[in-house]
Amino acid sequence: MARGLSPEVAQPSDRTLAWAVFFLLLAVYLATFSGQPENPDAEVEFQTTSALARRRSFALGGTSEADAIVGVIHQGRQGFNVRRGGPGREQEFFSWSGVGQPLAALPLYAAGALVARFFPELEARQRATTHLGVARSEYFEHLFVGLRNPLLGALTGALVLVAARRAGARRRYALVSALTYGLCSYAWPQARGTLSDVQATAALFLAFVLGQGALEQLESARTPRLTSLCGFGLALGLAFLTRPVLAPGVGVLALYFLVRSVGAARTAARALPVRELLAGFVPALACFAFFLWTNQRRFGDPFEAGYGGVAGLDWFLRSPWQGLVGVTVSPSVGLLWLAPGILLVGPWFVAALCGLPREEWRERALPALVAGLLLAVGLPHILIPSWYGAWSYGPRYVLPLIPFLWFPLGVALERLRTSATRVLVGCLFLLGGAT
């Protein structure tokens, strides 16, 4: 297995290359993004952001779209992911999507509101039109909030390059892995939409990259930067707040950071890195506390996120075979067609585990993390009846796994020795891009 690079080796030119990947992917995503919420769930998420900005509340209301959504619920029809509030808030209605999604969009909403002041005639023209019989509102706010997924999708592609370099890939192979992630997998159609999976993916993978950087410094007997450690915790917390169902994956990544930190201290015969662990985990725990507080405020129960009986424990106790076959080889949403490049993680995984002496435990940590995430994120989402992702192009629920399965491609590509294997890999990328 290729050795990871030290931060000094990887830094200046790799940062420039990562920025280049970011802007290239962003240009492609902006050229194809939808701009407006393309499904009911996304509109509910936007209306929560709007309510936070206008009313300092998670309760929907105050716009024509929000009033229409609430009106549907008042009529006894459940057409949206919305639930009535708890004791004392029975007349208020809240999204049951993660609170991290609307919170992260607030700066973009503010930018849209600022631009709207300069173009009142466009806003008036928008209000004169309807969608599904409902008057439109907040055109620029919708548009700017819609920029979130292109931005976060491009950021994830840039982080794939950084992760591939740290895993030991040479620069050109890391570049190939980053660009093929962004353009030859269903990360592209996901980035042009407006659902929460792109934000959850970016946050979880950002936590990994920041944590990996801090771990490299610990293992070289240096003091990690406080910004990297706090950023790791905040990104981990944001991933959970965006999609609470990612809690098992968040736990696996947190455990990975804890074990590697303690192992680094023992190897260097140093004391337990209490400062580093506190800086990394306190922000994540603060996000969890915020999750409990918002649940209590909205629904009267700190452990009630709004799903109620819709997604109880029995939701995850189904036969796995339909979901497993569907997510992997189904013609409509199978990863074999929508992200075929992940097949290359297999050779990397085998080489990483079989080609190392037992004492090289640190080199086995990444394969162990990938295997843990496959179980923690992949397994729950093939057990549920909606494994296909509903309003989505591709199995969006397992999107957070894809960058973790993709960055090892940078190392795997270096192992291609014959022309036949290179042609086969090229065909996999072409298939993903064409799909």
Side-chain angles (χ1 to χ4, degrees):
M1 180 177 177
R3 299 280 179 171
L5 301 177
S6 67
E8 290 84 357
V9 173
Q11 270 179 359
S13 56
D14 284 354
R15 286 178 180 172
T16 302
L17 196 58
W19 278 110
V21 169
F22 171 81
F23 284 114
L24 177 60
L25 293 180
L26 182 61
V28 174
Y29 294 165
L30 289 181
T32 56
F33 86 123
S34 57
Q36 301 287 318
E38 77 281 18
N39 62 72
D41 293 356
E43 183 62 47
V44 170
E45 291 171 356
F46 171 82
Q47 291 303 325
T48 305
T49 299
S50 176
L52 280 169
R54 292 180 293 100
R55 308 166 65 191
R56 307 297 186 268
S57 170
F58 284 99
L60 304 184
T63 67
S64 53
E65 295 95 339
D67 293 341
I69 291 169
V70 171
V72 169
I73 309 302
H74 272 304
Q75 296 169 17
R77 293 183 288 150
Q78 184 61 51
F80 301 91
N81 288 351
V82 175
R83 186 178 174 189
R84 190 183 296 271
R89 295 179 178 270
E90 292 86 354
Q91 300 308 310
E92 295 180 319
F93 293 85
F94 301 90
S95 166
W96 68 36
S97 299
V99 295
Q101 179 78 349
L103 283 171
L106 284 173
L108 293 171
Y109 181 95
L114 179 63
V115 172
R117 295 182 181 180
F118 294 98
F119 300 96
E121 67 282 357
L122 289 179
E123 182 65 30
R125 190 183 309 170
Q126 173 80 355
R127 290 182 181 275
T129 64
T130 62
H131 179 61
L132 300 178
V134 179
R136 296 178 182 268
S137 68
E138 298 186 307
Y139 170 72
F140 282 105
E141 291 86 343
H142 274 90
L143 184 64
F144 274 71
V145 170
L147 294 173
R148 168 182 38 205
N149 279 4
L151 287 165
L152 292 177
L155 171 64
T156 307
L159 292 174
V160 167
L161 183 141
V162 175
R165 287 287 286 156
R166 286 180 174 168
R170 282 189 281 181
R171 191 166 285 116
R172 63 176 178 271
Y173 295 116
L175 178 61
V176 170
S177 66
L179 292 178
T180 53
Y181 166 80
L183 301 175
C184 300
S185 77
Y186 72 111
W188 182 355
Q190 286 292 316
R192 65 178 298 274
T194 52
L195 287 171
S196 62
D197 308 272
V198 174
Q199 179 171 304
T201 301
L204 192 66
F205 200 63
L206 175 61
F208 165 69
V209 171
L210 291 174
Q212 194 76 349
L215 288 171
E216 287 178 351
Q217 292 176 321
L218 271 176
E219 290 169 355
S220 59
R222 290 177 299 163
T223 302
R225 289 176 296 182
L226 195 61
T227 52
S228 296
L229 294 165
C230 293
F232 163 78
L234 286 173
L236 209 58
L238 179 60
F240 172 74
L241 288 177
T242 302
R243 286 192 59 79
V245 75
L246 277 180
V250 169
V252 166
L253 192 51
L255 180 63
Y256 169 82
F257 183 79
L258 174 63
V259 172
R260 288 284 300 271
S261 298
V262 173
R266 288 181 176 176
T267 301
R270 298 171 60 193
L272 189 70
V274 176
R275 168 190 172 274
E276 287 77 9
L277 293 176
L278 287 175
F281 287 125
V282 167
L285 292 174
C287 289
F288 181 68
F290 180 74
F291 169 77
L292 299 178
W293 179 77
T294 55
N295 289 344
Q296 178 67 41
R297 293 281 296 174
R298 294 180 299 165
F299 304 115
D301 183 344
F303 295 100
E304 175 56 72
Y307 286 91
V310 176
L313 182 61
D314 61 326
W315 187 254
F316 297 94
L317 298 179
R318 312 296 176 99
S319 171
W321 303 115
Q322 181 183 18
L324 178 61
V325 173
V327 168
T328 54
V329 298
S330 167
S332 57
V333 294
L335 294 176
L336 180 63
W337 321 108
L338 297 174
I342 62 172
L343 293 175
L344 291 176
V345 78
W348 168 82
F349 194 85
V350 172
L353 293 182
C354 299
L356 291 170
R358 290 187 177 182
E359 60 271 15
E360 292 289 351
W361 64 273
R362 286 178 295 181
E363 299 295 332
R364 299 176 188 272
L366 279 181
L369 173 65
V370 171
L373 289 173
L374 271 173
L375 293 175
V377 177
L379 184 60
H381 287 112
I382 65 173
L383 294 174
I384 60 176
S386 59
W387 50 265
Y388 46 85
W391 317 91
S392 177
Y393 189 94
R396 65 186 178 95
Y397 297 143
V398 297
L399 183 66
L401 277 176
I402 304 304
F404 289 96
L405 299 176
W406 210 279
F407 81 86
L409 268 61
V411 176
L413 290 172
E414 294 195 51
R415 295 180 173 272
L416 301 179
R417 302 302 182 195
T418 66
S419 299
T421 55
R422 293 191 181 99
V423 170
L424 177 60
V425 169
C427 290
L428 290 177
F429 292 148
L430 287 174
L431 173 61
T435 308

